[in-house]
Amino acid sequence: MHERIIPYLERAGLYHLARLNSQWFWLDEPLVSAFVERWRPETHTFHMPFGECTVTLQDVAFQLGLPVDGEAVSGCLGEFETYMEGGRPAWEWFEDLFGERPPPNKVKQMTVHFTWFHERFRVLPPDASEETVRIYARAYIMMLLSTQLFGDKSANRVHIRWLPFVANLDGMGRYSWGSAALAWLYRCMCRVANRNVTNLAGPLQLLQSWIFWRFPSLRPAGFEVFSFPLASRWSAYLPPNDGKEQRVIRYRLALDRLTARDIVWEPYSALDVLAVVHPEILTEEHSRMWRAVTALIYFAVIEWHQVDRVVPQLGGVQHTPEDALNVDWLHAKDGRGGDRWFPHYYQKWHEHWENRLDARHPDTSGGISERILPGSTQITAT
């Protein structure tokens, strides 16, 4: 991360995430697997012996330092000339933005192999012009989004869906990167819960850091010093690499024995935590989103921020939540089978995000203001 591209990352709202690049930690696969087994797609919560808990927009803001308010991260997946005003064919646009096209052996459908980006834009020339800096900033952001937030099971490809975003670097800060990342994490866990899927993708370091901050009994010893973003606390963590099947069993038993005293409901309220948090995370613009019961959008992925089921995580007393929305049909949509302009295809859900501050907001007294998405159905989760 060259110092000359830092201003572009700051304006895009991605600088804190970029700082985590050198501080990502190894994933404890048995621990994550044991938690995902308790994930319920109907409610988007983990069902524990003491009740429910989940990763929320508040967690994304504190753990990764991402903005959670703003426009939905959406559009189309590659047919830009069809759906965007003045849109050009994808690879023409790619060449305009990066100065060249990747060789055919580095391209697969609408993705470019990560190694091409890494080799081509690894080191910014010392005498680079400002336009060259912008090209390198675009490449860095494309790789950052494709690997740290929105990675899939391929783990080595960069999707060109990001071209309309990096084309206007100065406008990237208006998007809610945090809600898009949470939507993708939810969808990846829902896939494992609902289908015959064995490989979990998504921003799993977010999930693991959430586990460590919330459950002290599952936290590795010796990690008492922390800074912002809070996920950087575990940068030197290295889990055991043997006996994974036995460790999964042990974690399952540990989760079975958890009580309400074993979870830290409000880890971010401590003064030493607030002392290191970047002030922008605590502004009303973003903190008001933590209580929004609303749609989470990431292109074709639509999930539900069911925060009214975990009010104690926000300092309130749990009331009886609304029945969960039935989003099973949305789980079957992944953007395959033909491109679409998703803000139109999912218009009602986008309208709900646009009216997110009118959505249901649990408060510290347990009160809730009602607003149900028109045309939605509800199911009772058991």
Side-chain angles (χ1 to χ4, degrees):
M1 183 171 58
H2 195 281
E3 62 179 11
R4 292 187 66 186
I5 73 171
I6 288 178
Y8 294 104
L9 295 171
E10 290 175 330
R11 290 199 289 272
L14 298 171
Y15 175 60
H16 298 304
L17 178 71
R19 289 175 57 231
L20 284 171
N21 248 349
S22 61
Q23 298 176 307
W24 281 130
F25 42 86
W26 288 94
L27 198 67
D28 190 334
E29 295 178 9
L31 175 64
V32 170
S33 296
F35 264 84
V36 173
E37 288 175 356
R38 289 181 170 271
W39 179 256
R40 300 308 306 162
E42 313 95 292
T43 60
H44 294 101
T45 58
F46 298 102
H47 284 210
M48 297 294 186
F50 56 80
E52 296 177 64
C53 57
T54 196
V55 185
T56 69
L57 289 173
Q58 182 194 43
D59 295 300
V60 178
F62 279 91
Q63 297 292 338
L64 302 184
L66 289 172
V68 295
D69 197 18
E71 296 181 19
V73 176
S74 189
C76 60
L77 297 181
E79 296 179 8
F80 306 121
E81 70 275 21
T82 303
Y83 295 103
M84 298 180 61
E85 182 179 353
R88 286 164 289 172
W91 296 107
E92 288 185 13
W93 204 355
F94 189 100
E95 186 172 5
D96 288 346
L97 292 174
F98 293 97
E100 60 184 280
R101 299 190 191 190
N105 65 333
K106 296 292 184 179
V107 175
K108 183 178 181 181
Q109 296 178 329
M110 291 295 172
T111 66
V112 181
H113 202 283
F114 181 87
T115 55
W116 182 80
F117 274 97
H118 185 65
E119 293 166 0
R120 176 63 184 81
F121 302 105
R122 184 175 182 179
V123 179
L124 181 68
D127 57 347
S129 66
E130 195 57 35
E131 179 53 34
T132 299
V133 174
R134 291 175 68 88
I135 291 175
Y136 274 70
R138 293 185 188 113
Y140 188 97
I141 289 173
M142 293 268 284
M143 290 188 286
L144 183 70
L145 295 176
S146 295
T147 57
Q148 305 301 348
L149 283 189
F150 305 109
D152 56 23
K153 289 184 292 185
S154 72
N156 60 8
R157 295 200 164 270
V158 177
H159 202 286
I160 65 171
R161 62 168 62 99
W162 304 115
L163 292 184
F165 295 85
V166 299
N168 180 16
L169 288 172
D170 295 332
M172 290 190 70
R174 70 176 187 264
Y175 294 99
S176 174
W177 299 108
S179 66
L182 190 58
W184 184 232
L185 176 63
Y186 280 6
R187 174 57 59 88
C188 290
M189 292 193 290
C190 288
R191 281 177 174 172
V192 173
N194 273 335
R195 303 179 182 180
N196 186 24
V197 177
T198 57
N199 294 326
L200 184 62
L204 300 180
Q205 282 86 359
L206 166 62
L207 173 58
Q208 183 163 301
S209 186
W210 176 85
I211 294 170
F212 287 164
W213 275 91
R214 297 275 179 178
F215 297 92
S217 63
L218 303 174
R219 180 186 303 167
F223 292 85
E224 303 306 321
V225 178
F226 51 83
S227 60
F228 188 77
L230 298 184
S232 64
R233 179 176 181 176
W234 323 107
S235 60
Y237 175 67
L238 187 64
N241 196 33
D242 57 345
K244 289 186 177 181
E245 293 183 3
Q246 292 300 315
R247 291 176 57 227
V248 170
I249 294 173
R250 289 199 299 270
Y251 281 132
R252 288 171 180 162
L253 292 174
L255 298 190
D256 286 343
R257 295 167 181 161
L258 290 176
T259 70
R261 294 187 298 272
D262 297 315
I263 180 174
V264 181
W265 290 106
E266 297 180 84
Y268 314 128
S269 62
L271 293 179
D272 56 345
V273 174
L274 293 174
V276 303
V277 173
H278 197 282
E280 69 185 10
I281 299 300
L282 303 176
T283 61
E284 176 65 18
E285 176 186 1
H286 294 300
S287 63
R288 63 187 177 180
M289 285 299 302
W290 301 343
R291 292 178 169 83
V293 181
T294 185
L296 301 172
I297 299 172
Y298 167 57
F299 289 95
V301 173
I302 310 290
E303 297 292 344
W304 197 249
H305 192 233
Q306 201 77 45
V307 73
D308 64 329
R309 305 187 72 90
V310 293
V311 179
Q313 291 185 206
L314 298 172
V317 177
Q318 184 63 53
H319 52 77
T320 302
E322 292 293 322
D323 292 340
L325 292 180
N326 186 348
V327 293
D328 284 352
W329 72 278
L330 288 172
H331 285 157
K333 308 291 184 180
D334 59 6
R336 298 177 185 176
D339 209 349
R340 296 179 176 90
W341 184 248
F342 297 115
H344 175 75
Y345 186 68
Y346 295 116
Q347 182 176 357
K348 288 188 178 297
W349 298 93
H350 277 260
E351 289 174 356
H352 196 64
W353 173 257
E354 292 167 3
N355 298 319
R356 54 197 174 275
L357 297 181
D358 298 326
R360 297 171 288 173
H361 289 68
D363 59 27
T364 54
S365 64
I368 193 167
S369 60
E370 297 295 337
R371 187 175 189 276
I372 305 298
L373 179 64
S376 65
T377 59
Q378 295 180 314
I379 60 175
T380 301
T382 58

